[in-house]
Amino acid sequence: MWVLMGAVCLCHCVFGQLLDARGKRAPPRVICSVPGSPGMPGKPGPSGSTGADGNVGIAGRDGRDGRKGERGERGETGLKGRVGPAGKIGERGDRGLTGKRGPEGGGGDVGPHGRLGHDGEKGDQGKKGQRGKAGSCKCGSLLPKSAFSVGITSSYPVEYAPIKFNKILFNEGEHYNPLTGKYICAYPGIYYFSYDITLANKHLAIGLVQNGQYRIKTFDANTGNHDVASGSTVMYLNPEDEVWLEIFYADQNGLFADPGWTDSLFSGFLLYADTDYLDALAEDYS
């Protein structure tokens, strides 16, 4: 390493003196020696006079941004400025969160009654209640009663129409109407009907009618001065059913009646009422 430094120093000296000789046009001389060890630094010399200002150099590149300074203290509030003109109404924003419920207001006045609502659906059947006390028996008042027996005071009535038996012998419940000649059923059940008719001078064709339908028909021939025609039947009647006697053939209307006698009769009565009807009647009285 010292050899290399010596070579460099030698070259420096030679070239330096050559250049110096050319400048002074003096005879060249070569002075070269191996440099010694560096000496101690000398005292700083006095400052020289200020040199002339040099030319302005090229502007350097922008430096990096400095760090953000600390936030300064808040300044005093300035004077309130004038209110500017109102801007255009902006678009409707999103609905905000529901606020807290406010205090409950006082009760208002009672409003007018509204219209009645529709009937609701039928509810479930409730539980059976406790059994009540047994009531007193009123068996006599529960027994339906209906019976009649009637006669007639005029002969040869109109054909194809109810015969009006106008002489009342018995009419329990007033279920036979002498103005129409019809018996009207009041209680459902089993009934018995019969008739005994005196005939004279003509044959007799008579029938028992229920609601316009013949139940029985009888033909009786007049073999002498007077004769008797009879018939009977048992049948079931519903409430409002009608029963009557009727001449059903024009040339055989031999029904005869003497005003002083009761010789032509029409009778009927209730044998027993329908059991379902009696059970329902008992529940109404219980």
Side-chain angles (χ1 to χ4, degrees):
M1 183 176 179
W2 287 104
V3 174
L4 181 59
M5 291 179 64
V8 172
C9 185
L10 179 61
C11 292
H12 179 73
C13 292
V14 172
F15 283 104
Q17 289 188 8
L18 289 175
L19 291 175
D20 190 32
R22 288 183 179 179
K24 295 181 180 181
R25 296 184 181 274
R29 58 180 178 175
V30 178
I31 299 174
C32 185
S33 65
V34 178
S37 58
M40 298 295 292
K43 295 181 180 180
S47 300
S49 60
T50 303
D53 295 334
N55 295 328
V56 178
I58 300 173
R61 297 179 180 176
D62 294 338
R64 297 179 181 178
D65 294 337
R67 295 181 181 178
K68 187 175 182 180
E70 296 180 358
R71 184 175 181 179
E73 296 179 358
R74 183 174 182 180
E76 297 179 358
T77 304
L79 298 176
K80 188 175 181 180
R82 296 180 180 179
V83 178
K88 296 181 179 179
I89 298 175
E91 296 180 357
R92 184 174 182 178
D94 297 334
R95 185 174 182 178
L97 299 176
T98 303
K100 295 182 180 179
R101 184 175 180 179
E104 185 175 354
D109 298 334
V110 178
H113 292 287
R115 296 180 179 178
L116 293 177
H118 298 291
D119 294 337
E121 297 181 357
K122 185 177 181 180
D124 298 333
Q125 184 176 1
K127 296 181 180 179
K128 187 176 181 180
Q130 296 180 355
R131 186 173 182 177
K133 297 181 180 179
S136 59
C137 179
K138 298 181 179 179
C139 301
S141 60
L142 295 179
L143 182 63
K145 299 176 182 179
S146 181
F148 74 98
S149 183
V150 292
I152 191 169
T153 59
S154 61
S155 302
Y156 315 124
V158 178
E159 299 88 2
Y160 307 109
I163 300 173
K164 297 178 182 180
F165 290 83
N166 59 338
K167 188 175 182 179
I168 303 298
L169 302 178
F170 185 77
N171 194 9
E172 176 74 36
E174 303 293 329
H175 300 146
Y176 174 80
N177 188 350
L179 299 178
T180 62
K182 295 180 179 181
Y183 171 81
I184 300 176
C185 175
Y187 310 111
I190 305 301
Y191 287 79
Y192 175 81
F193 292 95
S194 67
Y195 56 88
D196 290 284
I197 306 298
T198 299
L199 60 150
N201 304 322
K202 297 180 182 180
H203 302 313
L204 180 63
I206 192 169
L208 182 71
V209 184
Q210 177 188 5
N211 298 331
Q213 301 293 326
Y214 288 101
R215 286 298 183 181
I216 57 174
K217 288 182 176 181
T218 57
F219 295 88
D220 290 279
N222 183 17
T223 58
N225 188 16
H226 290 83
D227 204 347
V228 177
S230 63
S232 63
T233 187
V234 175
M235 56 187 178
Y236 182 89
L237 295 183
N238 289 304
E240 305 299 327
D241 281 357
E242 298 177 338
V243 179
W244 67 88
L245 289 179
E246 181 178 300
I247 304 297
F248 62 87
Y249 197 73
D251 293 339
Q252 297 187 11
N253 183 3
L255 187 150
F256 176 81
D258 189 326
W261 299 349
T262 306
D263 49 2
S264 292
L265 297 175
F266 177 36
S267 303
F269 57 88
L270 172 66
L271 285 175
Y272 55 87
D274 188 288
T275 55
D276 292 337
Y277 172 78
L278 290 178
D279 292 341
L281 194 64
E283 291 180 359
D284 293 339
Y285 275 83
S286 62

